[in-house]
Amino acid sequence: MKTELVVECRDLTKNFSGVKALDCVDLQLGRGKIIGLLGPNGSGKTTLIKILNGLLEPTFGEVLIDGEHPGVHTKSVISYLPDKTYFADWMKVNDIFDMFGDFYKDFDREKAEMMCASMGIGLKDKLKTMSKGTKEKVQLILVMSRRAQLYLLDEPIAGVDPAARDYILTTIINNYNEEGTVVISTHLISDIERILDEVVFIKNGVIVRHEAVDDIKEKEGKSIDDVFKDTFRMVPFMGVNGYDR
Amino acid sequence: MGWNLDDSRPIWPQLKERLMKDIVGGRYVMGGPFPTVRDLAEEAGVNRNTMQRALSELESEGLVITNRTAGRTVTTDEELVAETKAAIAADNVGRFMDEMASLGFSAEEVIDIIKKKGVENR
């Protein structure tokens, strides 16, 4: 039986040699949603995602994915887009598809091949000959071709131009498994706020807000981008000459 | 990507307004097929849950009808379409009158301006 929540974190804490990257995070994410994990650089977004998919062990606290602790089952239901590509240069698109087909039961190869065709990527193309942007597209195709319960996308639009951003976002919203949940971490909010159901604001390892996007807009009459800027506003150092003396 | 939406307001009511205008404005054939949530979400550049919410509202108002077999169709109720059209018009005129009042025009003056404009445009 499926649990109601796809992600449940209790008291989740992660220390890196004494520095708290996550501090007592309680987080519950439902199914069938697109959720933005939003925070400035260094706020703990990647750490949280890596704990959810089992790449990092929490120092303290508990995570349940699809009702279970990170392990074999949770890896089979999570589709993860890392912030860096990790495939060997000599591989061809076909080789990677073979690998994914072996690893993941829910990998839909036919869909992956169709997505490649629509993006003009040949199945025999070598990664070595691809631009950075094309490599990222291949990676996205792999991630979105799985019928996962939880998609964890770490900065999927960070390194690309605005036209490619739209393309990537459209690919995400048209291809995810609708019973699953998509978590997108980013600091580029104005580009993605329209596709989000909920946002999670993270600041210095603490979840400071978790709410439905339309509720926030209704209450505050502001875009998520503006609310984000208000939440994370930093006081710039004015320099010696900036102060009244 | 997508429709012209105001990010400072909730998205689903804006989708609903836009679809209402499209329906009463004749973009879709009355009684004819209505696009899927998926297609509309893609066109608008929003996620499907948000579009679904807008469509549910249109369904509960009767402008769009969900059939078990044939998917969604546009209403055939001409009276409902006429009422909706009148409501949208009243809404727009109301907002316009408020704006003109804030500039200091009386209703009569506004009507005069509209008449003159109408003659010019003819």
Side-chain angles (χ1 to χ4, degrees), chain A residues 32 166 170 173-174 178 194-195 197 214 217 221 223, chain B residues 1 3 5 7-8 11-12 38 42 47-49:
Chain A
D166 274 1
T170 309
I173 60 177
N174 284 338
E178 287 181 52
R194 269 185 209 173
I195 69 162
D197 291 305
D214 275 352
K217 292 187 185 198
S223 67
Chain B
M1 171 163 98
W3 296 353
L5 301 169
D7 281 327
S8 68
I11 297 297
W12 72 265
R38 191 195 168 98
E42 185 177 349
N47 94 33
R48 289 179 209 148
N49 297 331

mmCIF file with all atom_site columns, all heavy atoms in Angstrom, chain A residues 32 166 170 173-174 178 194-195 197 214 217 221 223, chain B residues 1 3 5 7-8 11-12 38 42 47-49:
data_model
loop_
_atom_site.group_PDB
_atom_site.id
_atom_site.type_symbol
_atom_site.label_atom_id
_atom_site.label_alt_id
_atom_site.label_comp_id
_atom_site.label_asym_id
_atom_site.label_entity_id
_atom_site.label_seq_id
_atom_site.pdbx_PDB_ins_code
_atom_site.Cartn_x
_atom_site.Cartn_y
_atom_site.Cartn_z
_atom_site.occupancy
_atom_site.B_iso_or_equiv
_atom_site.pdbx_formal_charge
_atom_site.auth_seq_id
_atom_site.auth_comp_id
_atom_site.auth_asym_id
_atom_site.auth_atom_id
_atom_site.pdbx_PDB_model_num
ATOM 1   N N   . GLY A 1 32  ? 2.177   13.605 -6.291  1.00 0.00 ? 32  GLY A N   1
ATOM 2   C CA  . GLY A 1 32  ? 1.545   14.253 -7.440  1.00 0.00 ? 32  GLY A CA  1
ATOM 3   C C   . GLY A 1 32  ? 1.729   15.752 -7.487  1.00 0.00 ? 32  GLY A C   1
ATOM 4   O O   . GLY A 1 32  ? 0.856   16.471 -7.949  1.00 0.00 ? 32  GLY A O   1
ATOM 5   N N   . ASP A 1 166 ? 13.197  27.302 -20.764 1.00 0.00 ? 166 ASP A N   1
ATOM 6   C CA  . ASP A 1 166 ? 11.801  27.010 -21.092 1.00 0.00 ? 166 ASP A CA  1
ATOM 7   C C   . ASP A 1 166 ? 11.667  25.589 -21.610 1.00 0.00 ? 166 ASP A C   1
ATOM 8   O O   . ASP A 1 166 ? 10.748  24.867 -21.260 1.00 0.00 ? 166 ASP A O   1
ATOM 9   C CB  . ASP A 1 166 ? 11.313  27.962 -22.191 1.00 0.00 ? 166 ASP A CB  1
ATOM 10  C CG  . ASP A 1 166 ? 10.802  29.257 -21.589 1.00 0.00 ? 166 ASP A CG  1
ATOM 11  O OD1 . ASP A 1 166 ? 10.864  29.387 -20.358 1.00 0.00 ? 166 ASP A OD1 1
ATOM 12  O OD2 . ASP A 1 166 ? 10.355  30.127 -22.360 1.00 0.00 ? 166 ASP A OD2 1
ATOM 13  N N   . THR A 1 170 ? 9.517   22.696 -19.866 1.00 0.00 ? 170 THR A N   1
ATOM 14  C CA  . THR A 1 170 ? 8.425   22.048 -20.596 1.00 0.00 ? 170 THR A CA  1
ATOM 15  C C   . THR A 1 170 ? 8.643   20.539 -20.630 1.00 0.00 ? 170 THR A C   1
ATOM 16  O O   . THR A 1 170 ? 7.708   19.762 -20.443 1.00 0.00 ? 170 THR A O   1
ATOM 17  C CB  . THR A 1 170 ? 8.350   22.606 -22.036 1.00 0.00 ? 170 THR A CB  1
ATOM 18  O OG1 . THR A 1 170 ? 8.315   24.030 -21.959 1.00 0.00 ? 170 THR A OG1 1
ATOM 19  C CG2 . THR A 1 170 ? 7.110   22.122 -22.755 1.00 0.00 ? 170 THR A CG2 1
ATOM 20  N N   . ILE A 1 173 ? 7.618   19.184 -17.160 1.00 0.00 ? 173 ILE A N   1
ATOM 21  C CA  . ILE A 1 173 ? 6.186   19.108 -16.826 1.00 0.00 ? 173 ILE A CA  1
ATOM 22  C C   . ILE A 1 173 ? 5.419   18.188 -17.774 1.00 0.00 ? 173 ILE A C   1
ATOM 23  O O   . ILE A 1 173 ? 4.372   17.689 -17.410 1.00 0.00 ? 173 ILE A O   1
ATOM 24  C CB  . ILE A 1 173 ? 5.495   20.490 -16.723 1.00 0.00 ? 173 ILE A CB  1
ATOM 25  C CG1 . ILE A 1 173 ? 5.566   21.279 -18.017 1.00 0.00 ? 173 ILE A CG1 1
ATOM 26  C CG2 . ILE A 1 173 ? 6.056   21.296 -15.592 1.00 0.00 ? 173 ILE A CG2 1
ATOM 27  C CD1 . ILE A 1 173 ? 4.819   22.604 -17.918 1.00 0.00 ? 173 ILE A CD1 1
ATOM 28  N N   . ASN A 1 174 ? 5.957   17.928 -18.960 1.00 0.00 ? 174 ASN A N   1
ATOM 29  C CA  . ASN A 1 174 ? 5.238   17.032 -19.866 1.00 0.00 ? 174 ASN A CA  1
ATOM 30  C C   . ASN A 1 174 ? 5.596   15.569 -19.672 1.00 0.00 ? 174 ASN A C   1
ATOM 31  O O   . ASN A 1 174 ? 4.953   14.705 -20.236 1.00 0.00 ? 174 ASN A O   1
ATOM 32  C CB  . ASN A 1 174 ? 5.531   17.400 -21.325 1.00 0.00 ? 174 ASN A CB  1
ATOM 33  C CG  . ASN A 1 174 ? 4.773   18.638 -21.714 1.00 0.00 ? 174 ASN A CG  1
ATOM 34  O OD1 . ASN A 1 174 ? 3.780   18.978 -21.097 1.00 0.00 ? 174 ASN A OD1 1
ATOM 35  N ND2 . ASN A 1 174 ? 5.256   19.321 -22.724 1.00 0.00 ? 174 ASN A ND2 1
ATOM 36  N N   . GLU A 1 178 ? 2.680   11.341 -13.306 1.00 0.00 ? 178 GLU A N   1
ATOM 37  C CA  . GLU A 1 178 ? 1.782   12.247 -12.591 1.00 0.00 ? 178 GLU A CA  1
ATOM 38  C C   . GLU A 1 178 ? 1.417   11.791 -11.184 1.00 0.00 ? 178 GLU A C   1
ATOM 39  O O   . GLU A 1 178 ? 0.913   12.569 -10.393 1.00 0.00 ? 178 GLU A O   1
ATOM 40  C CB  . GLU A 1 178 ? 0.521   12.491 -13.407 1.00 0.00 ? 178 GLU A CB  1
ATOM 41  C CG  . GLU A 1 178 ? 0.825   13.397 -14.583 1.00 0.00 ? 178 GLU A CG  1
ATOM 42  C CD  . GLU A 1 178 ? -0.393  13.701 -15.423 1.00 0.00 ? 178 GLU A CD  1
ATOM 43  O OE1 . GLU A 1 178 ? -1.397  14.123 -14.846 1.00 0.00 ? 178 GLU A OE1 1
ATOM 44  O OE2 . GLU A 1 178 ? -0.322  13.495 -16.627 1.00 0.00 ? 178 GLU A OE2 1
ATOM 45  N N   . ARG A 1 194 ? 5.855   29.546 -12.041 1.00 0.00 ? 194 ARG A N   1
ATOM 46  C CA  . ARG A 1 194 ? 4.548   29.210 -12.618 1.00 0.00 ? 194 ARG A CA  1
ATOM 47  C C   . ARG A 1 194 ? 4.255   27.725 -12.663 1.00 0.00 ? 194 ARG A C   1
ATOM 48  O O   . ARG A 1 194 ? 3.106   27.325 -12.793 1.00 0.00 ? 194 ARG A O   1
ATOM 49  C CB  . ARG A 1 194 ? 4.465   29.727 -14.032 1.00 0.00 ? 194 ARG A CB  1
ATOM 50  C CG  . ARG A 1 194 ? 3.904   31.080 -14.023 1.00 0.00 ? 194 ARG A CG  1
ATOM 51  C CD  . ARG A 1 194 ? 3.695   31.566 -15.390 1.00 0.00 ? 194 ARG A CD  1
ATOM 52  N NE  . ARG A 1 194 ? 3.819   32.993 -15.324 1.00 0.00 ? 194 ARG A NE  1
ATOM 53  C CZ  . ARG A 1 194 ? 3.820   33.771 -16.372 1.00 0.00 ? 194 ARG A CZ  1
ATOM 54  N NH1 . ARG A 1 194 ? 3.732   33.247 -17.566 1.00 0.00 ? 194 ARG A NH1 1
ATOM 55  N NH2 . ARG A 1 194 ? 3.914   35.058 -16.208 1.00 0.00 ? 194 ARG A NH2 1
ATOM 56  N N   . ILE A 1 195 ? 5.274   26.920 -12.638 1.00 0.00 ? 195 ILE A N   1
ATOM 57  C CA  . ILE A 1 195 ? 4.997   25.486 -12.737 1.00 0.00 ? 195 ILE A CA  1
ATOM 58  C C   . ILE A 1 195 ? 4.949   24.829 -11.354 1.00 0.00 ? 195 ILE A C   1
ATOM 59  O O   . ILE A 1 195 ? 4.722   23.644 -11.248 1.00 0.00 ? 195 ILE A O   1
ATOM 60  C CB  . ILE A 1 195 ? 6.009   24.754 -13.645 1.00 0.00 ? 195 ILE A CB  1
ATOM 61  C CG1 . ILE A 1 195 ? 7.388   24.699 -13.001 1.00 0.00 ? 195 ILE A CG1 1
ATOM 62  C CG2 . ILE A 1 195 ? 6.106   25.419 -15.001 1.00 0.00 ? 195 ILE A CG2 1
ATOM 63  C CD1 . ILE A 1 195 ? 8.271   23.637 -13.635 1.00 0.00 ? 195 ILE A CD1 1
ATOM 64  N N   . ASP A 1 197 ? 3.596   23.841 -7.559  1.00 0.00 ? 197 ASP A N   1
ATOM 65  C CA  . ASP A 1 197 ? 2.425   23.762 -6.680  1.00 0.00 ? 197 ASP A CA  1
ATOM 66  C C   . ASP A 1 197 ? 2.765   24.294 -5.301  1.00 0.00 ? 197 ASP A C   1
ATOM 67  O O   . ASP A 1 197 ? 1.960   24.944 -4.660  1.00 0.00 ? 197 ASP A O   1
ATOM 68  C CB  . ASP A 1 197 ? 1.989   22.297 -6.490  1.00 0.00 ? 197 ASP A CB  1
ATOM 69  C CG  . ASP A 1 197 ? 1.413   21.700 -7.754  1.00 0.00 ? 197 ASP A CG  1
ATOM 70  O OD1 . ASP A 1 197 ? 0.471   22.288 -8.287  1.00 0.00 ? 197 ASP A OD1 1
ATOM 71  O OD2 . ASP A 1 197 ? 1.917   20.657 -8.192  1.00 0.00 ? 197 ASP A OD2 1
ATOM 72  N N   . ASP A 1 214 ? -0.140  29.236 -4.629  1.00 0.00 ? 214 ASP A N   1
ATOM 73  C CA  . ASP A 1 214 ? -1.292  30.129 -4.779  1.00 0.00 ? 214 ASP A CA  1
ATOM 74  C C   . ASP A 1 214 ? -1.739  30.719 -3.439  1.00 0.00 ? 214 ASP A C   1
ATOM 75  O O   . ASP A 1 214 ? -2.264  31.829 -3.399  1.00 0.00 ? 214 ASP A O   1
ATOM 76  C CB  . ASP A 1 214 ? -2.452  29.411 -5.486  1.00 0.00 ? 214 ASP A CB  1
ATOM 77  C CG  . ASP A 1 214 ? -2.307  29.492 -7.013  1.00 0.00 ? 214 ASP A CG  1
ATOM 78  O OD1 . ASP A 1 214 ? -1.406  30.216 -7.479  1.00 0.00 ? 214 ASP A OD1 1
ATOM 79  O OD2 . ASP A 1 214 ? -3.090  28.849 -7.733  1.00 0.00 ? 214 ASP A OD2 1
ATOM 80  N N   . LYS A 1 217 ? 0.572   33.692 -2.843  1.00 0.00 ? 217 LYS A N   1
ATOM 81  C CA  . LYS A 1 217 ? 0.222   34.815 -3.724  1.00 0.00 ? 217 LYS A CA  1
ATOM 82  C C   . LYS A 1 217 ? -1.048  35.493 -3.245  1.00 0.00 ? 217 LYS A C   1
ATOM 83  O O   . LYS A 1 217 ? -1.178  36.718 -3.288  1.00 0.00 ? 217 LYS A O   1
ATOM 84  C CB  . LYS A 1 217 ? 0.045   34.332 -5.153  1.00 0.00 ? 217 LYS A CB  1
ATOM 85  C CG  . LYS A 1 217 ? 1.356   33.880 -5.742  1.00 0.00 ? 217 LYS A CG  1
ATOM 86  C CD  . LYS A 1 217 ? 1.275   33.541 -7.195  1.00 0.00 ? 217 LYS A CD  1
ATOM 87  C CE  . LYS A 1 217 ? 2.630   32.997 -7.602  1.00 0.00 ? 217 LYS A CE  1
ATOM 88  N NZ  . LYS A 1 217 ? 2.880   32.988 -9.009  1.00 0.00 ? 217 LYS A NZ  1
ATOM 89  N N   . GLY A 1 221 ? -0.014  38.912 -2.198  1.00 0.00 ? 221 GLY A N   1
ATOM 90  C CA  . GLY A 1 221 ? -0.149  39.697 -3.424  1.00 0.00 ? 221 GLY A CA  1
ATOM 91  C C   . GLY A 1 221 ? 1.176   39.971 -4.110  1.00 0.00 ? 221 GLY A C   1
ATOM 92  O O   . GLY A 1 221 ? 1.385   41.020 -4.705  1.00 0.00 ? 221 GLY A O   1
ATOM 93  N N   . SER A 1 223 ? 4.755   38.062 -6.209  1.00 0.00 ? 223 SER A N   1
ATOM 94  C CA  . SER A 1 223 ? 5.291   36.870 -6.856  1.00 0.00 ? 223 SER A CA  1
ATOM 95  C C   . SER A 1 223 ? 6.190   36.126 -5.871  1.00 0.00 ? 223 SER A C   1
ATOM 96  O O   . SER A 1 223 ? 6.682   36.709 -4.900  1.00 0.00 ? 223 SER A O   1
ATOM 97  C CB  . SER A 1 223 ? 6.095   37.256 -8.094  1.00 0.00 ? 223 SER A CB  1
ATOM 98  O OG  . SER A 1 223 ? 7.244   37.966 -7.704  1.00 0.00 ? 223 SER A OG  1
ATOM 99  N N   . MET B 2 1   ? 7.507   31.447 -23.157 1.00 0.00 ? 1   MET B N   1
ATOM 100 C CA  . MET B 2 1   ? 6.650   30.303 -22.872 1.00 0.00 ? 1   MET B CA  1
ATOM 101 C C   . MET B 2 1   ? 5.350   30.767 -22.243 1.00 0.00 ? 1   MET B C   1
ATOM 102 O O   . MET B 2 1   ? 5.332   31.501 -21.275 1.00 0.00 ? 1   MET B O   1
ATOM 103 C CB  . MET B 2 1   ? 7.386   29.353 -21.912 1.00 0.00 ? 1   MET B CB  1
ATOM 104 C CG  . MET B 2 1   ? 6.532   28.231 -21.363 1.00 0.00 ? 1   MET B CG  1
ATOM 105 S SD  . MET B 2 1   ? 7.534   26.898 -20.659 1.00 0.00 ? 1   MET B SD  1
ATOM 106 C CE  . MET B 2 1   ? 7.512   27.285 -18.930 1.00 0.00 ? 1   MET B CE  1
ATOM 107 N N   . TRP B 2 3   ? 1.117   31.787 -21.472 1.00 0.00 ? 3   TRP B N   1
ATOM 108 C CA  . TRP B 2 3   ? 0.187   32.892 -21.511 1.00 0.00 ? 3   TRP B CA  1
ATOM 109 C C   . TRP B 2 3   ? 0.726   34.048 -20.695 1.00 0.00 ? 3   TRP B C   1
ATOM 110 O O   . TRP B 2 3   ? 1.630   33.892 -19.875 1.00 0.00 ? 3   TRP B O   1
ATOM 111 C CB  . TRP B 2 3   ? -1.171  32.464 -20.946 1.00 0.00 ? 3   TRP B CB  1
ATOM 112 C CG  . TRP B 2 3   ? -1.837  31.412 -21.753 1.00 0.00 ? 3   TRP B CG  1
ATOM 113 C CD1 . TRP B 2 3   ? -1.433  30.925 -22.969 1.00 0.00 ? 3   TRP B CD1 1
ATOM 114 C CD2 . TRP B 2 3   ? -3.011  30.678 -21.391 1.00 0.00 ? 3   TRP B CD2 1
ATOM 115 N NE1 . TRP B 2 3   ? -2.308  29.950 -23.390 1.00 0.00 ? 3   TRP B NE1 1
ATOM 116 C CE2 . TRP B 2 3   ? -3.272  29.774 -22.455 1.00 0.00 ? 3   TRP B CE2 1
ATOM 117 C CE3 . TRP B 2 3   ? -3.868  30.698 -20.287 1.00 0.00 ? 3   TRP B CE3 1
ATOM 118 C CZ2 . TRP B 2 3   ? -4.362  28.909 -22.431 1.00 0.00 ? 3   TRP B CZ2 1
ATOM 119 C CZ3 . TRP B 2 3   ? -4.946  29.834 -20.269 1.00 0.00 ? 3   TRP B CZ3 1
ATOM 120 C CH2 . TRP B 2 3   ? -5.188  28.952 -21.328 1.00 0.00 ? 3   TRP B CH2 1
ATOM 121 N N   . LEU B 2 5   ? 0.600   35.951 -17.816 1.00 0.00 ? 5   LEU B N   1
ATOM 122 C CA  . LEU B 2 5   ? 0.017   35.827 -16.479 1.00 0.00 ? 5   LEU B CA  1
ATOM 123 C C   . LEU B 2 5   ? 0.728   36.754 -15.507 1.00 0.00 ? 5   LEU B C   1
ATOM 124 O O   . LEU B 2 5   ? 1.891   37.096 -15.697 1.00 0.00 ? 5   LEU B O   1
ATOM 125 C CB  . LEU B 2 5   ? 0.131   34.382 -15.986 1.00 0.00 ? 5   LEU B CB  1
ATOM 126 C CG  . LEU B 2 5   ? -0.545  33.319 -16.853 1.00 0.00 ? 5   LEU B CG  1
ATOM 127 C CD1 . LEU B 2 5   ? -0.126  31.928 -16.411 1.00 0.00 ? 5   LEU B CD1 1
ATOM 128 C CD2 . LEU B 2 5   ? -2.056  33.450 -16.806 1.00 0.00 ? 5   LEU B CD2 1
ATOM 129 N N   . ASP B 2 7   ? 2.369   37.175 -12.098 1.00 0.00 ? 7   ASP B N   1
ATOM 130 C CA  . ASP B 2 7   ? 2.934   36.301 -11.060 1.00 0.00 ? 7   ASP B CA  1
ATOM 131 C C   . ASP B 2 7   ? 2.622   36.768 -9.639  1.00 0.00 ? 7   ASP B C   1
ATOM 132 O O   . ASP B 2 7   ? 2.888   36.036 -8.687  1.00 0.00 ? 7   ASP B O   1
ATOM 133 C CB  . ASP B 2 7   ? 4.449   36.177 -11.236 1.00 0.00 ? 7   ASP B CB  1
ATOM 134 C CG  . ASP B 2 7   ? 4.799   35.195 -12.346 1.00 0.00 ? 7   ASP B CG  1
ATOM 135 O OD1 . ASP B 2 7   ? 4.040   34.220 -12.519 1.00 0.00 ? 7   ASP B OD1 1
ATOM 136 O OD2 . ASP B 2 7   ? 5.803   35.403 -13.034 1.00 0.00 ? 7   ASP B OD2 1
ATOM 137 N N   . SER B 2 8   ? 2.069   37.966 -9.501  1.00 0.00 ? 8   SER B N   1
ATOM 138 C CA  . SER B 2 8   ? 1.793   38.417 -8.137  1.00 0.00 ? 8   SER B CA  1
ATOM 139 C C   . SER B 2 8   ? 0.395   37.995 -7.683  1.00 0.00 ? 8   SER B C   1
ATOM 140 O O   . SER B 2 8   ? 0.005   38.248 -6.556  1.00 0.00 ? 8   SER B O   1
ATOM 141 C CB  . SER B 2 8   ? 1.947   39.935 -8.039  1.00 0.00 ? 8   SER B CB  1
ATOM 142 O OG  . SER B 2 8   ? 0.936   40.563 -8.776  1.00 0.00 ? 8   SER B OG  1
ATOM 143 N N   . ILE B 2 11  ? -2.399  31.814 -9.718  1.00 0.00 ? 11  ILE B N   1
ATOM 144 C CA  . ILE B 2 11  ? -2.428  31.511 -11.148 1.00 0.00 ? 11  ILE B CA  1
ATOM 145 C C   . ILE B 2 11  ? -3.774  30.932 -11.602 1.00 0.00 ? 11  ILE B C   1
ATOM 146 O O   . ILE B 2 11  ? -4.287  31.297 -12.651 1.00 0.00 ? 11  ILE B O   1
ATOM 147 C CB  . ILE B 2 11  ? -1.285  30.534 -11.512 1.00 0.00 ? 11  ILE B CB  1
ATOM 148 C CG1 . ILE B 2 11  ? 0.078   31.195 -11.227 1.00 0.00 ? 11  ILE B CG1 1
ATOM 149 C CG2 . ILE B 2 11  ? -1.355  30.112 -12.963 1.00 0.00 ? 11  ILE B CG2 1
ATOM 150 C CD1 . ILE B 2 11  ? 0.389   32.418 -12.032 1.00 0.00 ? 11  ILE B CD1 1
ATOM 151 N N   . TRP B 2 12  ? -4.359  30.033 -10.792 1.00 0.00 ? 12  TRP B N   1
ATOM 152 C CA  . TRP B 2 12  ? -5.525  29.331 -11.340 1.00 0.00 ? 12  TRP B CA  1
ATOM 153 C C   . TRP B 2 12  ? -6.696  30.246 -11.682 1.00 0.00 ? 12  TRP B C   1
ATOM 154 O O   . TRP B 2 12  ? -7.337  30.038 -12.722 1.00 0.00 ? 12  TRP B O   1
ATOM 155 C CB  . TRP B 2 12  ? -5.949  28.136 -10.470 1.00 0.00 ? 12  TRP B CB  1
ATOM 156 C CG  . TRP B 2 12  ? -6.583  28.491 -9.160  1.00 0.00 ? 12  TRP B CG  1
ATOM 157 C CD1 . TRP B 2 12  ? -5.966  28.583 -7.949  1.00 0.00 ? 12  TRP B CD1 1
ATOM 158 C CD2 . TRP B 2 12  ? -7.958  28.804 -8.933  1.00 0.00 ? 12  TRP B CD2 1
ATOM 159 N NE1 . TRP B 2 12  ? -6.863  28.954 -6.990  1.00 0.00 ? 12  TRP B NE1 1
ATOM 160 C CE2 . TRP B 2 12  ? -8.094  29.095 -7.569  1.00 0.00 ? 12  TRP B CE2 1
ATOM 161 C CE3 . TRP B 2 12  ? -9.091  28.868 -9.762  1.00 0.00 ? 12  TRP B CE3 1
ATOM 162 C CZ2 . TRP B 2 12  ? -9.312  29.450 -6.997  1.00 0.00 ? 12  TRP B CZ2 1
ATOM 163 C CZ3 . TRP B 2 12  ? -10.303 29.226 -9.188  1.00 0.00 ? 12  TRP B CZ3 1
ATOM 164 C CH2 . TRP B 2 12  ? -10.411 29.511 -7.828  1.00 0.00 ? 12  TRP B CH2 1
ATOM 165 N N   . ARG B 2 38  ? -3.527  18.459 -20.272 1.00 0.00 ? 38  ARG B N   1
ATOM 166 C CA  . ARG B 2 38  ? -2.130  18.375 -20.661 1.00 0.00 ? 38  ARG B CA  1
ATOM 167 C C   . ARG B 2 38  ? -1.777  19.422 -21.708 1.00 0.00 ? 38  ARG B C   1
ATOM 168 O O   . ARG B 2 38  ? -0.804  20.157 -21.570 1.00 0.00 ? 38  ARG B O   1
ATOM 169 C CB  . ARG B 2 38  ? -1.900  16.959 -21.208 1.00 0.00 ? 38  ARG B CB  1
ATOM 170 C CG  . ARG B 2 38  ? -0.473  16.616 -21.422 1.00 0.00 ? 38  ARG B CG  1
ATOM 171 C CD  . ARG B 2 38  ? -0.355  15.369 -22.288 1.00 0.00 ? 38  ARG B CD  1
ATOM 172 N NE  . ARG B 2 38  ? 1.027   15.250 -22.704 1.00 0.00 ? 38  ARG B NE  1
ATOM 173 C CZ  . ARG B 2 38  ? 1.913   14.473 -22.102 1.00 0.00 ? 38  ARG B CZ  1
ATOM 174 N NH1 . ARG B 2 38  ? 1.554   13.705 -21.104 1.00 0.00 ? 38  ARG B NH1 1
ATOM 175 N NH2 . ARG B 2 38  ? 3.162   14.452 -22.500 1.00 0.00 ? 38  ARG B NH2 1
ATOM 176 N N   . GLU B 2 42  ? 0.444   22.870 -21.181 1.00 0.00 ? 42  GLU B N   1
ATOM 177 C CA  . GLU B 2 42  ? 1.649   23.118 -21.963 1.00 0.00 ? 42  GLU B CA  1
ATOM 178 C C   . GLU B 2 42  ? 1.569   24.480 -22.653 1.00 0.00 ? 42  GLU B C   1
ATOM 179 O O   . GLU B 2 42  ? 2.517   25.256 -22.645 1.00 0.00 ? 42  GLU B O   1
ATOM 180 C CB  . GLU B 2 42  ? 1.849   22.013 -23.002 1.00 0.00 ? 42  GLU B CB  1
ATOM 181 C CG  . GLU B 2 42  ? 3.168   22.210 -23.722 1.00 0.00 ? 42  GLU B CG  1
ATOM 182 C CD  . GLU B 2 42  ? 3.482   21.116 -24.725 1.00 0.00 ? 42  GLU B CD  1
ATOM 183 O OE1 . GLU B 2 42  ? 2.793   20.078 -24.729 1.00 0.00 ? 42  GLU B OE1 1
ATOM 184 O OE2 . GLU B 2 42  ? 4.425   21.314 -25.505 1.00 0.00 ? 42  GLU B OE2 1
ATOM 185 N N   . ASN B 2 47  ? 1.706   24.130 -14.540 1.00 0.00 ? 47  ASN B N   1
ATOM 186 C CA  . ASN B 2 47  ? 1.638   22.701 -14.301 1.00 0.00 ? 47  ASN B CA  1
ATOM 187 C C   . ASN B 2 47  ? 0.193   22.208 -14.339 1.00 0.00 ? 47  ASN B C   1
ATOM 188 O O   . ASN B 2 47  ? -0.751  22.971 -14.274 1.00 0.00 ? 47  ASN B O   1
ATOM 189 C CB  . ASN B 2 47  ? 2.466   22.289 -13.080 1.00 0.00 ? 47  ASN B CB  1
ATOM 190 C CG  . ASN B 2 47  ? 1.689   22.218 -11.781 1.00 0.00 ? 47  ASN B CG  1
ATOM 191 O OD1 . ASN B 2 47  ? 0.508   21.886 -11.744 1.00 0.00 ? 47  ASN B OD1 1
ATOM 192 N ND2 . ASN B 2 47  ? 2.365   22.531 -10.710 1.00 0.00 ? 47  ASN B ND2 1
ATOM 193 N N   . ARG B 2 48  ? 0.059   20.900 -14.505 1.00 0.00 ? 48  ARG B N   1
ATOM 194 C CA  . ARG B 2 48  ? -1.271  20.355 -14.812 1.00 0.00 ? 48  ARG B CA  1
ATOM 195 C C   . ARG B 2 48  ? -2.225  20.471 -13.632 1.00 0.00 ? 48  ARG B C   1
ATOM 196 O O   . ARG B 2 48  ? -3.431  20.600 -13.833 1.00 0.00 ? 48  ARG B O   1
ATOM 197 C CB  . ARG B 2 48  ? -1.151  18.892 -15.221 1.00 0.00 ? 48  ARG B CB  1
ATOM 198 C CG  . ARG B 2 48  ? -0.504  18.755 -16.577 1.00 0.00 ? 48  ARG B CG  1
ATOM 199 C CD  . ARG B 2 48  ? -0.379  17.300 -16.952 1.00 0.00 ? 48  ARG B CD  1
ATOM 200 N NE  . ARG B 2 48  ? 0.762   17.124 -17.830 1.00 0.00 ? 48  ARG B NE  1
ATOM 201 C CZ  . ARG B 2 48  ? 1.505   16.034 -17.860 1.00 0.00 ? 48  ARG B CZ  1
ATOM 202 N NH1 . ARG B 2 48  ? 1.240   15.030 -17.055 1.00 0.00 ? 48  ARG B NH1 1
ATOM 203 N NH2 . ARG B 2 48  ? 2.520   15.968 -18.689 1.00 0.00 ? 48  ARG B NH2 1
ATOM 204 N N   . ASN B 2 49  ? -1.702  20.395 -12.423 1.00 0.00 ? 49  ASN B N   1
ATOM 205 C CA  . ASN B 2 49  ? -2.590  20.527 -11.265 1.00 0.00 ? 49  ASN B CA  1
ATOM 206 C C   . ASN B 2 49  ? -3.276  21.882 -11.264 1.00 0.00 ? 49  ASN B C   1
ATOM 207 O O   . ASN B 2 49  ? -4.458  21.999 -10.945 1.00 0.00 ? 49  ASN B O   1
ATOM 208 C CB  . ASN B 2 49  ? -1.808  20.373 -9.954  1.00 0.00 ? 49  ASN B CB  1
ATOM 209 C CG  . ASN B 2 49  ? -1.200  18.991 -9.817  1.00 0.00 ? 49  ASN B CG  1
ATOM 210 O OD1 . ASN B 2 49  ? -1.735  18.021 -10.338 1.00 0.00 ? 49  ASN B OD1 1
ATOM 211 N ND2 . ASN B 2 49  ? -0.071  18.904 -9.131  1.00 0.00 ? 49  ASN B ND2 1
#
